[in-house]
Amino acid sequence: MQDASELPSPDELRSRESATSEKAWRQAYPIFWKLGMKVASLKLAGEARQQDREDCVQLAIVQLRNGLLGVRMDGSDSEAKSFDSVTTIEHLRNLYYRVLRARITDVHRKTAAIPENLEPESEETAPSPNEPMADEIWPLVAKLKPPKPELIEAKFILGLTTDEMARSFAMSRNTVLSHLRRGLITLKKLLEEAENPSHA
């Protein structure tokens, strides 16, 4: 099975030689699609959101390609300035997820609806990378102060280790763990308030 480690290098993807670039993108597209649909399926769950998931992933890949190739995009996001600085596959993957998250956030903003049947996290157990959090939680995760949403996604969706997150976010391991702990505590409070609005 293909994963991010099999992606072509950023230099190949942004090559000015069309044959090199086209070959690299033919290899990269199915990998980006698979990785993107995994994230989108968690954050836009349900059969009714299938088209939304596909649209978000497709648009994210197009924007990533355009950004790497230097194609001018009207209304481009702030992350566009990061395209030229991408030098490793790890940076490429993280930038792709940032673009995809922005497109998924756009969908949530358009629907502007937070489900009412939220279930708070059990006090006895905490979520693990092998137990993805329910789609309903993500609108609440987005309310946390940065970089907590990004770190929570990196851990529970992408399954990154603490060391990998420390490298990706240019933080110490202790800082990563502190942000995660405080973020999950705040998230639990938000879940409890959503479950019992009269006590908020």
Side-chain angles (χ1 to χ4, degrees):
M1 296 180 66
Q2 294 175 311
D3 58 30
S5 66
E6 299 180 51
L7 284 168
S9 71
D11 286 341
E12 291 174 306
L13 292 169
R14 63 160 65 96
S15 174
R16 296 302 178 183
E17 297 182 5
S18 59
T20 299
S21 176
E22 289 174 8
K23 178 181 179 181
W25 279 102
R26 283 196 299 271
Q27 178 184 342
Y29 187 90
I31 301 175
F32 280 131
W33 183 267
K34 175 187 170 184
L35 296 173
M37 288 301 290
K38 178 180 178 181
V39 174
S41 294
L42 290 171
K43 303 190 75 172
L44 295 168
E47 185 176 349
R49 310 303 293 273
Q50 177 66 24
Q51 190 61 55
D52 286 335
R53 293 194 291 272
E54 293 180 359
D55 289 347
C56 285
V57 173
Q58 177 66 29
L59 183 55
I61 295 173
V62 169
Q63 290 184 321
L64 183 69
R65 177 170 182 163
N66 287 345
L68 288 172
L69 294 177
V71 177
R72 180 77 178 179
M73 296 178 290
D74 293 334
S76 58
D77 300 301
S78 59
E79 65 262 17
K81 64 184 180 182
S82 301
F83 289 132
D84 290 340
S85 65
V86 175
T87 58
T88 68
I89 289 177
E90 184 177 38
H91 290 162
L92 177 66
R93 178 195 62 187
N94 290 342
L95 180 58
Y96 171 57
Y97 284 132
R98 284 170 52 193
V99 176
L100 178 58
R101 282 201 308 269
R103 302 292 69 79
I104 292 173
T105 298
D106 289 342
V107 172
H108 280 301
R109 285 173 178 165
K110 287 178 182 178
T111 57
I114 297 179
E116 298 178 356
N117 60 335
L118 291 170
E119 295 184 3
E121 177 189 343
S122 168
E123 295 183 1
E124 288 77 22
T125 60
S128 72
N130 296 323
E131 299 174 5
M133 290 183 284
D135 175 66
E136 293 86 351
I137 291 178
W138 291 109
L140 300 180
V141 172
K143 292 182 178 182
L144 301 176
K145 293 181 180 180
K148 294 175 180 64
E150 291 82 2
L151 288 170
I152 288 175
E153 289 184 11
K155 180 173 179 62
F156 296 109
I157 288 186
L158 308 184
L160 299 187
T161 66
T162 302
D163 288 337
E164 288 173 333
M165 286 188 287
R167 289 195 300 271
S168 296
F169 291 90
M171 299 177 183
S172 69
R173 293 183 81 260
N174 287 342
T175 300
V176 169
L177 293 172
S178 177
H179 277 303
L180 283 173
R181 182 180 62 81
R182 286 180 288 171
L184 291 174
I185 289 173
T186 302
L187 180 59
K188 183 174 180 180
K189 291 179 181 177
L190 291 174
L191 286 166
E192 290 171 346
E193 290 172 3
E195 182 74 9
N196 302 290
S198 61
H199 296 150

